[in-house]
Amino acid sequence: MAKEEYHPLFETRRGSGKFMYITFSFSVFVGICSIWIYRLNYISEEFEDGNWIVWIGLLFAELWFGFYWFLHQNLRWNPIFRQPLPQVLSQSRYEHMLPKVDIFVCTADPEIEPPIMVINTVLSVIAYDYPAEKLSVYLSDDAGSDVTFYAMLEASEFAKHWLPFCKRFKVEPRSPNAYFKTVNLDIYPNDAKEVFAIKKLYQEMENRVENASKLGKVPKEAYSNYKEFSQWDSYSSKRDHDTILQILLHRKDLNARDEDGFVMPTLVYMAREKRPHFPHNFKAGAMNSLIRVSSMISNGKIILNVDCDMYSNNSQSLRDALCFFMDEDKDGFGGPMYIGTGCFHRRDVLCGRKFDKQYRNDWNNNANEENINHMIEASLQDMEEKSKPLASCTYEENTSWGKEMGLLYGCAVEDIVTGLSILCKGWRSVYYNPTRKAFLGLSPTTLPEALVQHKRWSEGGFQILLSKFSPVWYAYGLISPGLQLAYCHYNMWVLNSFPTLYYCIIPSLFLLKGIPLFPQISSPWFIPFAYLIVGNSTYSLIEFLRVGGTIKGWWNDLRMWLYKRTSSYLFAFVDTMLKLIGFSNSGFIISTKVAEENVSQRYEKEIMEFGNSSPMLILLATIAMLNLFCLVGVLLKEVVLSGKGYGIFETMLLQVLLSGVLVVLNIPIYQGLFMRKDKGRMPISVAVKSTTLALSACVLFSALG
């Protein structure tokens, strides 16, 4: 856009409380330094008492906590809030500039990711408030499931009724399942009949899709009615099949009109070719195939990718995002990270293009732009056949795909490493958190699933730290120092496990023996410890409440912070080390998107679900039991049995508080071990193993001199 035509498309507001937080962080820094000085000052006395190894361990843990705290401070000193101005974008002078947008939805397993959930996501994004001729939606089905394809066929027919309905009644959200769960018929007093009619159409479609999913096969009449199913004739398994590509809706097709006669967005199903002896690179490979195939069919300048369990919750999200793309005078550090779903990109940058500060896109070219002229006159069948080779398993051989182009391979978190690579090429990203969430979806409903998910994320981040893409050296001089520190903060998640485990175990064991590891109340050194505990907790609670959280949510967040650090991060570190020496070959695990009815009911009641036994649950339960034994043991010994009164609170208050907080945080684990009778409780084997291990540790440690 020429300078004289420039009109801001978004506003920037600086966050309040900057000076207050800088003052607070400085006081915390003073407290941290005081603790380090305390440890160093008394280390000689600990040598005399024989506790110097434990003292050194605490010093290193506290050094790490201080360093890790420092990594993300600069990002909090200058918070920025952005607000798009879609009302400016919707003015007539911008309408012809709106770029074509391609939306990618990825699924990999019809059992874990049910087809009815997948098509609800597809229907939610195909119904965006955006010119239909400029919108294309692609589904990548890495299982190559004919049932999922059948669901897409059903969705393409239902969309002919759903899209006009959404326009007429300004429906939000535009996922049919989510909408019909929340719709209030009182707001449609004169149109209830039409709402019931569209709901009936959806329920009929839902029943057909779910019946096919339960049977694991497509109805015979569908096979006979749709010749497209012939593409499955060469299908052997989800790891061995040809490329399957079908354009279900396209403006060239006269049948691709809604019930009001208007053109519908393009809709494409793709299952890339897979062969057992070729690596498929998981979601990154699927995304790269989509980038290439879409370049032949629609070639949208903007790409949005969403997970199949993340439906669009706001039909205006596309226009909101374009306010940031089309107004290129951005601000901030140049962050945030690419986090895999709900992210918008320029196609150019995903294809490896580098940008400089002077680059400006000429959005006026969109009016006459047609990068796929060679495909305009081709029939849909020709378009499909010419696009299929781009999704073959051999296409990327001896190319830059997965290395310099597209999403990068070789990392469990392909989104994070790709985002870092993009930022190092001059790309600047923007974070926008609207009042009405742009996307809503599913999260793990059980603790083991959540821990496994965080294990994968933290392991991937640690792999990046140790790879050539480490932000320490790869990003040096290419992104701002603040953003470098932010990436390091994320990539070092796993290293938090060791100091956290040390703090969760050693002080409690020494409490049981009556050996203080922290200053007593009367000591001036008590003040920095107390300030950091009270000050940080209070400020984090205030921050949590300011962004819409609750006290209960903050407490649960703290609980999950403890569980992740003492289990997920530790196992991620071990697994990464084993992979480095060639002793581990763990594969990618897809999070379950379907929960049993009883599990869902407990989840809605906020009852923690434990389920089957796992090493991570055993570790968590052992730490919980150890702290319980130590706290109860010292209170019985010092207060009840010895009759010494409450003197222990004078000499060892901080250790008592630490152990007490850990016990309170672990209340759901104690309930799962001994109090609950439902199927979501801790398995008996976990209760026996954890109790035995914790009790043995306490007895053996107490027996030592």
Side-chain angles (χ1 to χ4, degrees), residues 512-514 632-644:
L512 187 63
K513 290 194 69 173
V632 172
V634 76
L635 292 178
L636 288 174
K637 177 182 175 182
E638 298 292 330
V639 179
V640 180
L641 299 179
S642 68
K644 294 181 180 179

Side-chain angles (χ1 to χ4, degrees), residues 433-502:
N433 184 21
T435 303
R436 181 181 180 88
K437 301 300 182 184
F439 302 94
L440 292 177
L442 301 179
S443 61
T445 55
T446 71
L447 180 62
E449 288 174 3
L451 295 178
V452 168
Q453 187 179 68
H454 279 278
K455 173 184 174 295
R456 177 170 66 84
W457 290 345
S458 57
E459 182 181 340
F462 193 46
Q463 287 175 352
I464 295 173
L465 185 70
L466 301 178
S467 73
K468 71 174 184 178
F469 294 103
S470 174
V472 178
W473 47 80
Y474 177 76
Y476 180 75
L478 298 176
I479 61 177
S480 67
L483 193 54
Q484 247 185 302
L485 292 176
Y487 267 99
C488 289
H489 181 267
Y490 171 82
N491 295 152
M492 291 179 180
W493 271 1
V494 299
L495 299 180
N496 285 300
S497 61
F498 297 104
T500 305
L501 280 167
Y502 196 88

